[in-house]
Amino acid sequence: MTHAEFVQMAKDTAILCAYDHFAEGEPPAPPFLVYYIAGSDNFYADGELYGRISNFVMELYTDVKEPPLEHQVESVLASQDVLWNKTEGWLEAERLYEVRYDFQEYQEVDDA
């Protein structure tokens, strides 16, 4: 998955979204989605890179629990054949629910 494909997938949720964060001092009213690439877990053997594994994250923020919005995000992920893990929690300081979707994409390195 390219960065552009990841951005498009976030936009396809039809939820107000931004990469990594919204501008400081301009927080949107919930619900909103933040998405970012959290790093990599590349596959190496014998000093060579064999595969790139990117860790993608989407975080849905709401002021009340909203299963229909979660389903909206999950439907977009499913439409792209993404296998994801979901965690959620209450952020007391922000008074928001956070539902986090984590997934990885593997890209084999082409020797050609």
Side-chain angles (χ1 to χ4, degrees):
M1 175 179 303
T2 66
H3 179 78
E5 290 168 335
F6 182 47
V7 169
Q8 187 58 54
M9 191 167 49
K11 290 179 180 181
D12 288 347
T13 66
I15 300 168
L16 178 65
C17 62
Y19 187 84
D20 190 58
H21 65 280
F22 288 89
E24 192 170 330
E26 299 177 23
F32 58 88
L33 183 81
V34 174
Y35 58 98
Y36 54 94
I37 300 171
S40 64
D41 291 316
N42 294 334
F43 173 63
Y44 295 92
D46 300 324
E48 289 188 46
L49 176 64
Y50 284 92
R52 291 181 178 89
I53 302 171
S54 297
N55 300 314
F56 295 94
V57 177
M58 287 187 174
E59 297 170 345
L60 174 64
Y61 294 92
T62 59
D63 51 2
V64 296
K65 181 74 173 154
E66 293 198 39
L69 283 180
E70 293 172 37
H71 179 72
Q72 208 168 308
V73 173
E74 293 162 13
S75 293
V76 169
L77 294 173
S79 74
Q80 299 298 313
D81 297 323
V82 170
L83 303 174
W84 45 268
N85 289 305
K86 174 180 169 179
T87 56
E88 64 179 80
W90 172 251
L91 304 175
E92 185 64 38
E94 288 84 8
R95 313 262 328 134
L96 293 173
Y97 286 98
E98 176 193 58
V99 179
R100 179 179 166 132
Y101 298 89
D102 292 281
F103 59 97
Q104 294 183 320
E105 288 290 322
Y106 177 81
Q107 180 184 18
E108 197 165 307
V109 174
D110 187 7
D111 288 337

